[in-house]
Amino acid sequence: MLSHRGALADLRAWLSVNFGLLKRERTPASLGRGGFVCQDAEMPPRACAVDPDNLARWCREQLGSPPAGETFRSGHLSAVIGLRLADGREVVVKVRPDAPRIAECVEVQRRLFQAGYPCPEPLTGAAPLGGDIATAEVYVPGGAVLPSADLAASVFAEAFARLIRLAPSPAEMSTLAPAPSWAAWNHAGDSLWPRSEDSDVDLDQVSGAEWIDDAGRRARDRLRVGESGPVIGHCDWLAGNLRWSDDALLVVHDWDSVTADSEDVLVGFAAALYSTIDADTLATVEDTRRFLVAYGRARGRDLSADERQRAWAAGVWTRAYDAKFQHAAGQPITSLSENEARERLRRAG
């Protein structure tokens, strides 16, 4: 599990409902004065901190109906709250610290939904809730975590190619910067690693696991060569963020992970992060190779030699970042091994 990824932790909300984990139904009274008392010791503080009176007021103002009940509450970087409104609608409200990029992420999601892409329909823009910002979208339940194993590379790649094809141009957006930390290989400053959104730890000051720093540095240096114009895509293409109906894509979640970067970089992130086995196991070297081939087929043009190398380098960088974070947190390093880093860097040229 990539425990530092707030995006994946946020999606535990949908996992909880769809698979019966942490599921709980709360009565309207639990949303009244006095507030919801969080009794789940494993629930992150941010998920517990949203004031129910403020939430009810926000729903009336932004959605035209107060909550009648709460179906789930989870989250990490964001509080993710499932609500049944008094008018019968099932919605998901996400509450997180304010940032200019959030409104633009919602706009990208809205345009993709209007273009027919399978993402939840946004119901609001980004509107203040307490000292944070909140958005609401239609709740989309169900779906399998993975497609058929023998088709995973193809359908994950086809879904990603369609997303990039339908997404608006970066020139149409105000700003999607800064990118989430695991995608911020070109962050401002001279340091190798950006700061994580949910930690005050400076990864550049964490000693040890020199092979991780070396892998990240070599990948970053390769990415600085041959950069092309940006497109908009999803930088957290983890299995936990997608749901399938047989082998057809049902829905993509976590639209806070929209960012703008070179197409080969975004494809490289996706090819390194998706899974053919389970939601907690990342792509093997062979899985990544298959994804890159399938992506070229899906977009109607094979990746050039330079695009392939940069895609491999992007995958090394994001997984090395995760590995460095895991090392700093004293967790087992599961995102990347030294041997795998060496092989992926070889393919990155």
Side-chain angles (χ1 to χ4, degrees), residues 7-344:
L8 185 57
D10 289 348
L11 256 293
R12 281 181 58 82
W14 281 276
L15 283 168
S16 298
V17 172
N18 295 336
F19 296 96
L21 302 173
L22 305 177
K23 184 175 180 180
R24 55 181 64 81
E25 182 76 16
R26 302 190 181 95
T27 65
S30 71
L31 295 170
R33 189 169 299 280
F36 163 63
V37 178
C38 185
Q39 297 178 337
D40 191 332
E42 296 184 356
M43 192 175 291
R46 175 166 288 279
C48 294
V50 178
D51 179 79
D53 289 336
N54 286 343
L55 178 61
R57 187 179 306 110
W58 190 92
C59 288
R60 286 193 295 269
E61 292 174 354
Q62 300 296 323
L63 298 169
S65 179
E70 185 175 310
T71 54
F72 62 85
R73 182 181 290 232
S74 186
H76 183 56
L77 298 181
S78 304
V80 182
I81 305 168
L83 295 173
R84 187 182 67 256
L85 299 181
D87 63 12
R89 287 179 293 168
E90 297 269 349
V91 304
V92 176
V93 176
K94 294 184 71 174
V95 186
R96 68 285 244 182
D98 192 8
R101 70 182 307 275
I102 297 300
E104 297 302 285
C105 289
V106 174
E107 181 60 21
V108 171
Q109 180 181 352
R110 186 186 315 281
R111 295 197 194 189
L112 283 166
F113 176 82
Q114 292 171 345
Y117 195 77
C119 57
E121 179 184 6
L123 297 173
T124 69
L129 196 170
D132 292 320
I133 203 79
T135 61
E137 61 187 37
V138 172
Y139 171 57
V140 182
V145 178
L146 290 172
S148 302
D150 57 342
L151 292 177
S154 295
V155 295
F156 268 101
E158 289 165 4
F160 198 75
R162 184 184 174 200
L163 190 161
I164 287 183
R165 183 171 65 252
L166 293 178
S169 164
E172 300 175 45
M173 300 291 104
S174 173
T175 181
L176 289 169
S181 56
W182 60 87
W185 66 271
N186 57 349
H187 66 97
D190 298 327
S191 61
L192 174 59
W193 304 116
R195 287 292 185 97
S196 171
E197 291 85 349
D198 64 340
S199 174
D200 293 329
V201 174
D202 183 349
L203 295 182
D204 290 286
Q205 299 302 314
V206 176
S207 61
E210 287 79 5
W211 68 267
I212 299 177
D213 292 336
D214 181 64
R217 188 175 296 106
R218 292 172 64 187
R220 180 197 60 185
D221 291 347
R222 179 62 185 89
L223 290 173
R224 287 174 169 174
V225 179
E227 189 172 359
S228 58
V231 298
I232 287 176
H234 194 296
C235 67
D236 211 18
W237 205 241
L238 292 162
N241 286 335
L242 287 78
R243 290 293 178 270
W244 304 87
S245 177
D246 294 324
D247 292 325
L249 182 61
L250 175 66
V251 65
V252 176
H253 294 297
D254 183 34
W255 292 94
D256 289 5
S257 293
V258 168
T259 192
D261 209 323
S262 299
E263 181 181 8
D264 45 24
V265 170
L266 294 173
V267 171
F269 291 156
L273 296 177
Y274 87 108
S275 178
T276 63
I277 300 175
D278 59 62
D280 294 338
T281 303
L282 300 182
T284 65
V285 170
E286 177 59 19
D287 289 337
T288 295
R289 185 197 67 80
R290 289 176 180 169
F291 186 104
L292 296 178
V293 171
Y295 181 84
R297 186 166 57 244
R299 77 170 183 178
R301 175 170 51 87
D302 289 343
L303 295 174
S304 67
D306 185 63
E307 286 177 317
R308 283 197 307 274
Q309 289 185 348
R310 284 173 50 81
W312 281 103
V316 171
W317 194 91
T318 191
R319 287 178 59 164
Y321 175 83
D322 289 342
K324 184 69 175 184
F325 192 98
Q326 290 165 349
H327 168 72
Q331 301 171 352
I333 299 173
T334 59
S335 293
L336 190 66
S337 70
E338 189 169 2
N339 287 339
E340 188 175 33
R342 186 179 299 113
E343 175 59 22
R344 288 176 178 272

